[in-house]
Structure formats: C-alpha cells, structure tokens
C-alpha cells in the first residue's frame, strides 16, 4: 500500500500583498485542477494542511502572488 501525501505548515507573509498556496496532482497521466490551500493578505500567517491517499502519480505545490492562479513560483514536487 502507498503512504498518504500530506502538506502541513504555515503560509507567511511580511509584506502588504496577498500570497496563495496551491496544490495540484496527476494520476494516470491526468492532471487534476489546482486547489487553493490557503491565502494570506498582509503581514501574518495562516495554517495550511492537506492530505490525500497515496498512489501512483505526482503531487506539487506552488505559491502565487495573488488570490488567483497567476504570477506563481516554479512548482515544487513532493
């Protein structure tokens, strides 16, 4: 059996803008839609936690400079 994939931590912001953490995964060569895990606007932090059953496929996260799925960092594979 495969282990679960989990993301847990904090999204922190020290500036005045908004930042959003997104997660996305691929199963059987099918890319799923991105899911918003958390948004922090202005200074502060927000807890983020996500878990899904493990298995074949890839999972990645990225941080975007807004509340939409635009102006994002490179993806980070888990």
């Amino acid at each position: 059996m495969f282990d679960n994939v989990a993301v847990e931590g904090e999204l922190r912001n020290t500036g005045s803008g908004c930042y959003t953490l997104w997660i996305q995964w691929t199963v059987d060569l099918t890319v799923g839609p991105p899911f918003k895990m958390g948004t922090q606007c202005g200074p502060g932090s927000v807890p983020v936690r996500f878990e899904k059953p493990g298995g074949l496929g890839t999972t990645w996260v990225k941080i975007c400079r807004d509340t939409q799925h635009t102006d994002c960092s490179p993806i980070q594979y888990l």
Side-chain angles (χ1 to χ4, degrees), residues 22-26 31 58-62 75-78:
W22 295 84
I23 190 167
Q24 191 170 19
W25 60 87
T26 303
V31 178
T58 57
T59 303
W60 60 87
V61 295
K62 59 182 154 184
I75 58 176
Q76 299 294 313
Y77 288 94
L78 305 179

Side-chain angles (χ1 to χ4, degrees), residues 35-48:
F35 290 94
K36 191 184 298 187
M37 293 183 58
T39 298
Q40 178 63 42
C41 293
S45 63
V46 62
V48 292

Side-chain angles (χ1 to χ4, degrees), residues 3-24:
D3 290 333
N4 288 352
V5 174
V7 174
E8 185 171 11
E10 251 181 4
L11 176 62
R12 295 181 192 168
N13 184 3
T14 59
S16 60
C18 290
Y19 291 88
T20 303
L21 179 65
W22 295 84
I23 190 167
Q24 191 170 19

Side-chain angles (χ1 to χ4, degrees), residues 29-75:
L29 302 177
T30 302
V31 178
F35 290 94
K36 191 184 298 187
M37 293 183 58
T39 298
Q40 178 63 42
C41 293
S45 63
V46 62
V48 292
R49 185 175 195 303
F50 179 84
E51 188 172 349
K52 77 172 191 66
L56 299 176
T58 57
T59 303
W60 60 87
V61 295
K62 59 182 154 184
I63 296 175
C64 300
R65 193 183 305 263
D66 50 26
T67 59
Q68 303 303 310
H69 196 232
T70 57
D71 194 14
C72 301
S73 69
I75 58 176

